[in-house]
Amino acid sequence: MSVDTKKLQALLQWYMQSIGDNLLAVIIVNREGLIIDKLFGSSEKHLDEEIVGGVSALVEPVLTRITKEFSSGSFGTGTFDTEEYRLIFCEAGPEAVLVTILDAIAGVDPVFPYAYLTAEKIARIFDGRTVSPVIPKLISDKNAHNIQKKVNQLQKIKVQSGEYAFKLILGGDGSVGKTSMVHRFVDDDFAKDYKSTIGTSIMKKECKFDGLDSIIRFVLWDLAGQSQFKKVRQSYLSNAETGILAFDVTNQISFENIENWHKEILSASPNISLILVGNKIDLEDKRVVFRGDGEKTAEKLGIPYIETSAKTGESINDAFRMLALQMIKNNLVAEDI
Ligand code: GDP
């Protein structure tokens, strides 16, 4: 298959810049270990064929381990340490694997979010879908303050009157369909088993809804559900104006976890406007959470409730329209004061 190598190179360069000196090299391989693309750090010209060859040999055993540990999705990760290097393997969709080669003494924690984000973008490039090579600055303990400032700027994108831009986040357990909802809303498409979200992706979508004069720009932040992201999650969740709390109507636990997600989101963004969404209503036979249950929880949390299917597209636009209306209403009130 053909893949846009220019885009891959641009992305790898951003990735390298984001990580800094600890990143010695980054390699994209296919599942057989064949190298598709690579980029070496400027100081690492000596990083020789030995390690590159080694990576190829490691792909299969590491993938086997990843598959065992993360039974779902095509975005699992694994690390491998040698005396000199630390390798992070990150599945990038069904075709590719991103291998990050770090100095042996480098910490992997700060690198993970970037690796996931890059892997997601690689998967999109392989899918032939639109993708920006820009990797936004995420968080690191050291300069959390500066980054927070940048994050705030990103959310408060300057808008002309009658136009609004809002940071929109999605909370809820893994696999409830958050990414699919965003994908349905942004691209009006549903990709079966596209991925299971482990990184964060940020997308923009400009919307003009029937019957509304204003243009709304949502800056959609699709969150990691996995626990290793708990640390950075607070920052992703903070300063959001609007959000979707999602559960899967065929998964009781995802419904029970809604109140925890609600708490976590509110502690990071106290003024957020939320809606509760019960997704996957196309799976009628498997349904275990019913409309009345959803409505009760929504009432308890004081937020609206809507049921959707990202698969068929049912009510997805309505959910986002509901959020848009809430945002316009809130803004009108704020402007009046
Ligand atoms: P996330 O982890 O919450 O972002 O969930 P994903 O969007 O990755 O979806 C998890 C799985 O559920 C994928 O296999 C999707 O194809 C599937 N899925 C998502 N939404 C729906 C839906 O409305 N109906 C059905 N039948 N499957 C869905």
Side-chain angles (χ1 to χ4, degrees):
M1 68 161 293
S2 74
V3 58
D4 192 335
T5 45
K6 269 201 200 127
K7 276 192 190 156
L8 284 181
Q9 268 294 319
L11 180 60
L12 293 187
Q13 262 155 22
W14 265 97
Y15 179 46
M16 192 156 262
Q17 264 175 30
S18 308
I19 304 298
D21 290 345
N22 280 334
L23 200 159
L24 307 181
V26 49
I27 303 176
I28 302 173
V29 290
N30 72 9
R31 294 196 159 243
E32 281 73 52
L34 214 68
I35 290 168
I36 299 169
D37 211 343
K38 60 185 183 205
L39 187 64
F40 287 78
S42 52
S43 60
E44 290 308 322
K45 294 275 181 266
H46 72 275
L47 198 86
D48 50 25
E49 290 304 310
E50 193 186 302
I51 182 77
V52 176
V55 163
S56 294
L58 276 169
V59 168
E60 203 205 323
V62 171
L63 281 185
T64 311
R65 202 181 79 199
I66 291 173
T67 315
K68 272 198 204 124
E69 286 171 15
F70 299 87
S71 52
S72 71
S74 36
F75 279 76
T77 61
T79 55
F80 189 92
D81 289 333
T82 72
E83 266 176 28
E84 284 174 273
Y85 309 112
R86 302 197 82 168
L87 310 182
I88 303 177
F89 289 76
C90 203
E91 286 180 283
E95 323 248 3
V97 180
L98 173 71
V99 186
T100 304
I101 305 179
L102 300 168
D103 203 83
I105 53 164
V108 291
D109 273 4
V111 178
F112 262 122
Y114 290 101
Y116 283 131
L117 188 53
T118 307
E120 287 198 30
K121 284 178 183 263
I122 291 170
R124 284 176 75 96
I125 292 172
F126 270 83
D127 246 8
R129 303 205 293 138
T130 41
V131 56
S132 148
V134 176
I135 298 182
K137 202 86 190 115
L138 302 174
I139 188 109
S140 93
D141 289 345
K142 269 194 222 133
N143 54 2
H145 186 67
N146 277 346
I147 287 171
Q148 195 56 54
K149 254 175 33 194
K150 279 192 192 155
V151 167
N152 290 347
Q153 280 162 7
L154 180 66
Q155 291 146 25
K156 305 264 180 291
I157 291 166
K158 197 93 194 92
V159 284
Q160 291 164 9
S161 73
E163 296 186 15
Y164 304 90
F166 303 109
K167 175 177 176 180
L168 187 155
I169 55 166
L170 293 106
D173 284 2
S175 295
V176 300
K178 300 180 296 297
T179 302
S180 303
M181 283 181 209
V182 169
H183 186 39
R184 165 64 73 194
F185 178 59
V186 174
D187 301 331
D188 194 17
D189 194 13
F190 179 76
K192 203 162 152 280
D193 287 329
Y194 166 56
K195 67 178 188 58
S196 130
T197 311
I198 3 185
T200 297
S201 48
I202 301 176
M203 277 162 277
K204 293 193 194 117
K205 165 92 173 172
E206 194 174 279
C207 327
K208 176 123 185 25
F209 294 98
D210 287 348
L212 284 180
D213 288 338
S214 308
I215 292 174
I216 301 281
R217 288 202 184 91
F218 285 124
V219 183
L220 298 120
W221 292 51
D222 189 9
L223 291 176
Q226 267 70 6
S227 54
Q228 71 254 44
F229 280 99
K230 217 161 176 139
K231 260 199 289 183
V232 285
R233 212 155 65 192
Q234 279 288 319
S235 138
Y236 297 146
L237 293 175
S238 67
N239 292 302
E241 279 97 359
T242 182
I244 291 177
L245 267 175
F247 68 93
D248 169 356
V249 297
T250 70
N251 176 341
Q252 181 69 27
I253 292 173
S254 73
F255 179 58
E256 284 164 13
N257 281 336
I258 283 295
E259 293 196 28
N260 291 336
W261 278 103
H262 185 251
K263 258 191 228 133
E264 189 174 346
I265 289 176
L266 276 194
S267 78
S269 290
N271 298 318
I272 194 167
S273 282
L274 289 167
I275 60 169
L276 180 64
V277 174
N279 187 44
K280 305 198 189 178
I281 52 167
D282 55 290
L283 299 174
E284 272 168 53
D285 299 350
K286 295 197 180 140
R287 187 167 176 138
V288 291
V289 184
F290 296 91
R291 183 178 279 276
D293 308 324
E295 283 172 349
K296 227 188 256 164
T297 298
E299 199 180 326
K300 187 171 161 198
L301 303 176
I303 60 178
Y305 178 61
I306 188 163
E307 299 199 323
T308 61
S309 165
K311 186 171 183 178
T312 65
E314 188 177 342
S315 298
I316 293 287
N317 267 331
D318 292 339
F320 285 91
R321 186 188 161 85
M322 210 180 224
L323 288 172
L325 281 170
Q326 278 188 0
M327 295 322 300
I328 291 173
K329 208 175 96 207
N330 291 354
N331 251 56
L332 288 180
V333 175
E335 279 170 11
D336 282 351
I337 291 171

